[in-house]
Amino acid sequence: MTDTLIKVDLAQSPYENPDVHNRWHPDIPMACWVKPGDDFILETYDWTGGFIKNNDSADDVRDIDLSIVHFLSGPVGVEGAEPGDLLVVDLLDIGAKPDSLWGFNGFFSKQNGGGFLTDHFPQAQKSIWDFHGMFTSSRHIPGVNFAGLIHPGLIGCLPDKAMLNTWNQREAELLATDPNRVPALANPPFAATAHMGKLQGDARDQAAASGARTVPPREHGGNCDIKDLSRGAKVYFPVYVDGAGLSVGDLHFSQGDGEITFCGAIEMAGWVHMRVTLIKDGMAKYGVRNPIFKPSPITPSYNDYLIFEGISVDESGKQHYLDVNVAYRQACLNAIEYLTKFGYSRAQAYSILGTAPVQGHISGVVDVPNACATLWLPTQIFDFDIRPSASGPTKMIQGSVDLPLSPDKI
């Protein structure tokens, strides 16, 4: 019987759970300890700690204080782990909590951080997805059903103080170049909403003042949002502190490459069954600076795609030099426009791209001046044929069903 080392009560605030934290800092105490070769289970909150509800209102997506995220289970200390080692994490199994068989996807209001396509979707919206075993569907987006590829969006080890200082310095310098930009260029430390696990009192306050936000991926792993890190995946993490300090959270039932809706994927509460081992001095042996990932051997069996191309010319017609971000945005917008021809609203189409197992590819970065990116949309997730034909598209989605939308507060 595998031990569950960290448990979460979804009726309890994550701030009341000492085995959970929402910042990165080397002073956060280990929530528990394991030995190399041990396997164990960690339960997790959804990334918002239960703030987003299973209802037909997007007010919660509009009103959430994003400085509270992400809530991570850990850190787990690994006996014998030392700086310079590689921590090998086998993801043996992942699932939704039995008392929470649903997830959510949403777009943040531009006033609250926005997202990848915030200029096109400036108001808060969300969709709720129900889980039926390995499949999911949404009452807000008819005509779509697909198999999930459950994975942690966020997993990584604690930084040492030198690395933490490097993160904070370089991100502060970037933020200072355009401090009023929306979305913000970076998210600086914010002590008021920091949850530092078992750390309390003055020590907590001092660490919270410099604790790194969990929003981006960094050298230690973090919020990588790699959809193929599912059952059977293996990850090699650089170790920076004694014990490694492994934490995990932000579980996704399914996600499209890029997590383009930002409140992206299908977010859920759940559990992760994992095993840890060590490669001593592995960072130097293999020249590792960032984690190495071996993907899951189990993926949804979709083999028919429509591929939408985008180039680095933005919506206004402005030319950008080999800008993959612009190119992928154009590929997404092209797919959204296409799906509206079958009756989906633009918001429904956007949500599909953020939740379904779409693939994103960097197809070309050498043919100046245009980068080429592609979005691969699996046709088999739809209840009808979306492939082009001589007869033209048929409006299959009828009626007034759409994503809940909450206008910005005045």
Side-chain angles (χ1 to χ4, degrees):
M1 185 72 175
T2 302
D3 290 335
T4 299
L5 300 185
I6 294 178
K7 297 183 178 182
V8 300
D9 179 354
L10 299 183
Q12 178 189 48
S13 167
Y15 285 101
E16 298 173 11
N17 190 325
D19 296 333
V20 170
H21 63 102
N22 67 356
R23 299 290 191 272
W24 293 114
H25 196 284
D27 291 347
I28 297 174
M30 302 300 176
C32 56
W33 285 87
V34 298
K35 297 177 180 179
D38 285 352
D39 70 285
F40 52 91
I41 293 172
L42 306 180
E43 295 183 349
T44 72
Y45 290 92
D46 78 78
W47 74 301
T48 73
F51 190 87
I52 306 301
K53 306 301 182 184
N54 185 352
N55 58 30
D56 297 323
S57 168
D59 289 358
D60 46 11
V61 175
R62 179 194 63 195
D63 298 339
I64 185 173
D65 177 358
L66 291 176
S67 73
I68 68 174
V69 299
H70 303 74
F71 289 103
L72 309 177
S73 295
V76 176
V78 181
E79 294 181 13
E82 300 173 297
D85 294 344
L86 286 179
L87 179 67
V88 185
V89 179
D90 287 286
L91 299 176
L92 303 177
D93 201 1
I94 312 175
K97 279 182 65 65
D99 55 340
S100 185
L101 297 179
W102 64 278
F104 62 89
N105 173 262
F107 322 151
F108 289 125
S109 163
K110 187 172 183 178
Q111 293 183 356
N112 194 23
F116 189 58
L117 299 180
T118 192
D119 291 336
H120 296 267
F121 301 91
Q123 295 181 306
Q125 296 185 252
K126 79 177 181 186
S127 55
I128 298 297
W129 297 79
D130 295 309
F131 305 152
H132 317 284
M134 64 181 294
F135 296 93
T136 187
S137 61
S138 172
R139 62 181 179 266
H140 299 127
I141 306 175
V144 178
N145 299 273
F146 50 84
L149 187 60
I150 303 177
H151 59 279
L154 202 160
I155 184 170
C157 296
L158 291 178
D160 61 15
K161 290 188 177 180
M163 176 161 286
L164 176 65
N165 291 338
T166 296
W167 293 350
N168 285 337
Q169 179 179 346
R170 73 188 183 199
E171 291 172 23
E173 291 172 352
L174 177 63
L175 186 62
T177 64
D178 190 358
N180 298 317
R181 183 181 183 272
V182 177
L185 289 172
N187 295 275
F190 185 69
T193 55
H195 180 33
M196 309 301 285
K198 296 180 184 294
L199 203 59
Q200 300 294 325
D202 291 342
R204 177 266 173 207
D205 295 342
Q206 292 176 13
S210 60
R213 302 279 290 279
T214 60
V215 176
R218 299 185 180 95
E219 289 88 341
H220 69 145
N223 195 22
C224 297
D225 293 313
I226 300 172
K227 75 177 192 300
D228 298 294
L229 298 185
S230 189
R231 300 175 180 91
K234 185 187 294 285
V235 191
Y236 303 83
F237 287 108
V239 173
Y240 299 101
V241 301
D242 289 337
L246 176 69
S247 297
V248 65
D250 187 28
L251 298 193
H252 301 160
F253 187 86
S254 178
Q255 176 202 302
D257 281 340
E259 199 189 17
I260 61 172
T261 48
F262 186 33
C263 183
I266 300 176
E267 309 284 351
M268 69 177 211
W271 52 269
V272 184
H273 181 190
M274 61 181 75
R275 179 191 299 118
V276 294
T277 53
L278 290 172
I279 299 177
K280 299 301 293 182
D281 197 31
M283 290 179 67
K285 287 177 179 177
Y286 290 100
V288 172
R289 296 177 55 197
N290 297 76
I292 298 173
F293 305 92
K294 186 176 183 298
S296 169
I298 302 172
T299 59
S301 182
Y302 297 116
N303 56 18
D304 188 80
Y305 293 87
L306 282 183
I307 302 175
F308 296 86
E309 176 187 348
I311 59 174
S312 51
V313 177
D314 67 23
E315 298 92 305
S316 70
K318 180 180 178 181
Q319 178 74 64
H320 296 259
Y321 178 75
L322 296 181
D323 190 323
V324 173
N325 183 284
V326 172
Y328 194 53
R329 189 168 72 234
Q330 297 311 304
C332 294
L333 290 170
N334 290 339
I336 289 170
E337 179 64 21
Y338 184 89
L339 289 175
T340 64
K341 305 307 180 184
F342 296 88
Y344 288 113
S345 72
R346 296 181 74 250
Q348 288 173 320
Y350 186 26
S351 187
I352 291 170
L353 301 189
T355 58
V358 306
Q359 297 181 20
H361 293 254
I362 299 173
S363 301
V365 289
V366 296
D367 299 316
V368 298
N370 281 333
C372 177
T374 51
L375 181 142
W376 297 42
L377 179 64
T379 62
Q380 294 126 311
I381 69 172
F382 296 93
D383 293 343
F384 49 88
D385 191 352
I386 66 164
R387 293 172 297 180
S389 67
S391 60
T394 300
K395 188 174 181 180
M396 303 297 296
I397 306 302
Q398 307 287 343
S400 58
V401 176
D402 202 354
L403 273 62
L405 180 150
S406 290
D408 291 332
K409 291 182 176 179
I410 298 176

